Amino acid sequence: MAEFFVLNTGARIPSVGLGTATGKAEPGVVGGAVYAAVKAGYRHIDCAPAYRNEKEIGLALKKLFDEGVVKREDLFITSKLWSGNQAPEDVPEGIDTTLEDLQLEYLDLFLIHTPIRSKKGATPTPENFLPVDIPATWGAMEKLYHSGKARAIGVSNFSCKRMEDLLAIASVPPAVNQVESHPGWQQMKLRELCKSKGVHLSAYSPLGKPGSPASMGKGFLDNPIIVSVAEELQKTPAQVALRWGLQMGHSVLPKSTNEARMKENLGVFGWSIPEDLMAKFSEIQQVKTLRAEFVVHPQGIYKTVEEFWDGEI
């Protein structure tokens, strides 16, 4: 298993990246995690304005560059378009703010963070949502791609229906769809669609997200199938879950600010899950943990969670 996948642009996306949506981490914690992660061997950092930590990540990146730990071209940096900047005229401002905060001249990948558009400058809550116009937003994203500010463009949290609608109108097809995916929510239909269209699937929350305010249900790392495979292969349940993702053909973006855990999450190369054990993963009950209940409002754009996910839940 290579340590990267090739996108439809020809660019190489590292198989394992560091997620930075760490919720209410103290100031400086995420920046310190990024610095430690890159020194440990991570080469993909997944960012977003919504995580409210791009400035401290930018300071960490500058320190890494200044100290000669890595060069800019050694890293793959992803960020995302804020929901309040989805109007076509606001998309350039969206990437420019991120580039300024990260202290970079370009992004390797820029994603529409979610099919939610909110009023500019307003808190992204249902009363501030506006109807999305993905074709218009995507047209502005394509201009960023042609300008070189975003070396690849894509989407996040897009259902099969939204992917098909976008692919039907895109001049530049999305390179990536970043979604929740793990053994407890395998996304087989979406995975097959993306594969057939040359779109790389990238998995956030590849270890699940138990205990999160946005999540529902138990985590899956204590599932007997995961535990038994881990014991047989002498790996941790987390390593098994991440390795499953790589063997399914998608990159994974585990989150951690713990240096030992970050190193553990990189320990997914040089071994594999045998086919007979991979087959057992189909027996794991499927439960979407990140349901996005916050988008629902009786008078809002989305009146049910099922509507937001186009019934794919």
Side-chain angles (χ1 to χ4, degrees):
M1 172 65 64
E3 295 188 12
F4 60 85
F5 293 100
V6 179
L7 301 180
N8 58 19
T9 61
R12 305 195 309 180
I13 184 170
S15 301
V16 181
L18 182 74
T20 60
T22 53
K24 297 179 180 179
E26 292 294 318
V29 169
V30 174
V34 167
Y35 181 83
V38 172
K39 293 199 80 170
Y42 283 80
R43 292 297 178 263
H44 181 187
I45 309 298
D46 180 66
C47 312
Y51 308 156
R52 302 182 185 280
N53 53 25
E54 288 194 325
K55 284 187 177 180
E56 66 178 82
I57 292 173
L59 292 172
L61 294 175
K62 184 177 188 302
K63 185 179 179 184
L64 288 160
F65 299 149
D66 289 348
E67 293 179 359
V69 177
V70 286
K71 298 176 182 177
R72 170 65 184 95
E73 56 267 29
D74 297 328
L75 296 183
F76 190 101
I77 308 295
T78 297
S79 190
K80 308 176 187 78
L81 181 68
W82 177 249
S83 61
N85 284 326
Q86 278 196 22
E89 63 272 19
D90 294 330
V91 170
E93 179 186 326
I95 196 171
D96 287 346
T97 300
T98 278
L99 290 173
E100 181 179 345
D101 288 348
L102 293 175
Q103 302 188 47
L104 300 176
E105 294 182 357
Y106 68 91
L107 293 174
D108 296 278
L109 178 63
F110 193 48
L111 308 175
I112 296 177
H113 197 157
T114 184
I116 296 171
R117 180 183 169 197
S118 57
K119 296 173 184 174
K120 188 174 183 181
T123 305
T125 51
E127 61 269 22
N128 292 323
F129 289 167
L130 299 170
V132 294
D133 185 349
I134 295 301
T137 303
W138 190 252
M141 295 283 286
E142 290 179 335
K143 290 178 182 177
L144 296 181
Y145 171 74
H146 291 304
S147 76
K149 283 186 177 181
R151 296 193 170 180
I153 53 176
V155 295
S156 182
N157 297 302
F158 269 45
S159 64
C160 289
K161 180 182 184 303
R162 291 187 191 280
M163 285 301 300
E164 289 170 336
D165 289 348
L166 174 57
L167 288 162
I169 59 93
S171 297
V172 177
V176 169
N177 185 12
Q178 187 188 117
V179 296
E180 178 191 0
S181 183
H182 47 70
W185 187 246
Q186 298 180 16
Q187 299 264 42
M188 292 310 226
K189 182 182 175 186
L190 182 63
R191 182 187 311 281
E192 288 305 312
L193 172 67
C194 288
K195 184 178 179 181
S196 72
K197 301 295 185 180
V199 179
H200 176 72
L201 201 72
S202 191
Y204 68 71
S205 294
L207 302 177
K209 203 174 181 184
S212 164
S215 73
M216 303 285 286
K218 290 178 61 179
F220 64 84
L221 290 181
D222 57 356
N223 182 284
I225 293 172
I226 301 281
V227 172
S228 66
V229 171
E231 288 175 349
E232 185 163 340
L233 299 177
Q234 297 186 304
K235 302 295 178 182
T236 68
Q239 287 173 327
V240 165
L242 296 173
R243 181 69 202 184
W244 172 86
L246 301 191
Q247 289 182 218
M248 293 301 289
H250 66 247
S251 54
V252 292
L253 303 166
K255 294 179 295 191
S256 182
T257 56
N258 178 289
E259 195 167 345
R261 192 68 51 78
M262 287 191 285
K263 289 178 179 177
E264 175 190 318
N265 291 342
L266 274 183
V268 293
F269 302 105
W271 61 279
S272 63
I273 304 170
E275 282 187 27
D276 61 320
L277 296 182
M278 279 291 285
K280 292 184 177 181
F281 283 76
S282 64
E283 301 170 21
I284 296 174
Q285 182 182 4
Q286 297 297 289
V287 179
K288 181 166 180 56
T289 57
L290 291 141
R291 294 170 56 85
E293 302 274 4
F294 71 93
V295 307
V296 174
H297 191 276
Q299 284 79 47
I301 301 290
Y302 301 109
K303 294 174 176 58
T304 66
V305 168
E306 287 74 17
E307 184 182 359
F308 177 69
W309 295 109
D310 297 307
E312 298 170 26
I313 191 169

